[in-house]
Amino acid sequence: MALELYQTPSSTCSQKVRLALAEKGLPQRGKDWLEHELNLGKFEQLEPDYLKLNPNGVVPTLLHGGAVIIESSVILEYLDEVFPQPPLVPADPVERARLRAWLRYGDEVPTAAVRVPSFTNVVVPMHFENADDEDFARHAERLPLRKQFYQRMTRQGFGAKDLEAALGQIRQTCERIEKAVGDRGGPWIMGEDYTLVEVQLTPLIDRMEDLGYAYVWESLPKMEDWWARIKARPSYGQAFYPGSRMSQRYGKYFRSAAELKEIRGF
Ligand SMILES: N[C@@H](CCC(=O)N[C@@H](CS)C(=O)NCC(=O)O)C(=O)O
């Protein structure tokens, strides 16, 4: 099989790639692309053989005809180039520049923000609450890309201030979606066509909804309609197959927004 994807079902960056594959008519694991599932809980992303493919020690990694492609947003653009139909990037250069500006914003702001509740509500309870400081520090040392992130987070997870700041960034993203859909006449962010911008943002909004933070986009009716339209597309169900959300996967370790508030007061 020409396409191989190293991925994790519940990873937002893997979900992005699965969504792009589904939009390109390549939705099925095992049929359209070969799946290598990595268990992040067992730190398989840090195994030496995987680090040879992806020195950053993160998923996803795409293999296509022997070429190794890393970085989920780069993978999205690559897939659009090698599978041009249906196009997920506008033909006009100015529109393409607008799309890329959205992709950069998506990587810099909401992608980073979504990590804060994801780690605080699920990853920390699962791996680190019962670890000691030394184990935690040793794990952080092993991470090619996220050592400082872990050190800032601590093994208790992020605190109220960081969570509030992250929710503010998600709110900003949702307000920008509201405005773009309104200004460009919809139904999508770039206007008439569904593009990689939707592909990039979908897993982030889905994660926030899964964690119980959908209240962040209250009173943004155009954004809510946009979200309903995304969920109605066949690609959404194909990429977010049963068992691919944190709430379905991590059972007793999963803390919703409401549960976190009860336990930690924020
Ligand atoms: N910039 C990278 C980030 C990838 C990333 O952070 N992946 C997460 C899952 S969504 C991961 O592998 N985390 C492993 C870890 O935290 O150790 C991309 O977009 O591909």
Side-chain angles (χ1 to χ4, degrees), residues 103-169:
L103 294 183
R104 299 293 179 280
Y105 172 78
D107 279 339
E108 192 170 326
V109 179
T111 299
V114 163
R115 279 191 201 114
V116 172
S118 297
F119 274 74
T120 305
N121 299 43
V122 185
V123 179
V124 161
M126 185 158 58
H127 294 311
F128 302 117
E129 265 181 2
N130 298 319
D132 58 30
D133 288 338
E134 269 176 31
D135 280 346
F136 181 78
R138 213 173 305 122
H139 179 69
E141 278 302 326
R142 289 180 71 201
L143 302 174
L145 219 57
R146 299 272 153 76
K147 177 177 151 185
Q148 290 78 6
F149 170 87
Y150 269 68
Q151 289 169 340
R152 264 201 326 278
M153 173 176 75
T154 81
R155 78 179 171 83
Q156 277 77 38
F158 289 100
K161 255 188 160 167
D162 287 315
L163 183 64
E164 196 186 321
L167 296 182
Q169 289 176 303

Side-chain angles (χ1 to χ4, degrees), residues 11-14 16 40 43 45-46 57-60 70-73 107 115 119 139 143 145-146 150:
S11 125
T12 52
C13 300
S14 304
K16 264 161 84 172
L40 301 183
F43 306 125
Q45 72 278 22
L46 302 175
V58 292
V59 287
I70 63 168
E71 281 298 324
S72 57
S73 295
D107 279 339
R115 279 191 201 114
F119 274 74
H139 179 69
L143 302 174
L145 219 57
R146 299 272 153 76
Y150 269 68

Side-chain angles (χ1 to χ4, degrees), residues 25-42:
L26 298 164
Q28 284 188 32
R29 293 178 290 165
K31 179 170 169 279
D32 300 313
W33 45 276
L34 183 66
E35 178 187 33
H36 300 281
E37 183 179 333
L38 268 70
N39 186 333
L40 301 183
K42 293 190 177 153

Side-chain angles (χ1 to χ4, degrees), residues 2 10 16 51 99 157 162 173 176 189 206 210 212 222 234-238 250:
S10 61
K16 264 161 84 172
L51 289 175
L99 173 130
D162 287 315
T173 305
R176 287 188 176 197
I189 289 175
D206 192 75
D210 190 41
K222 293 190 184 74
S235 63
Y236 178 82
Q238 290 161 342
Y250 296 119

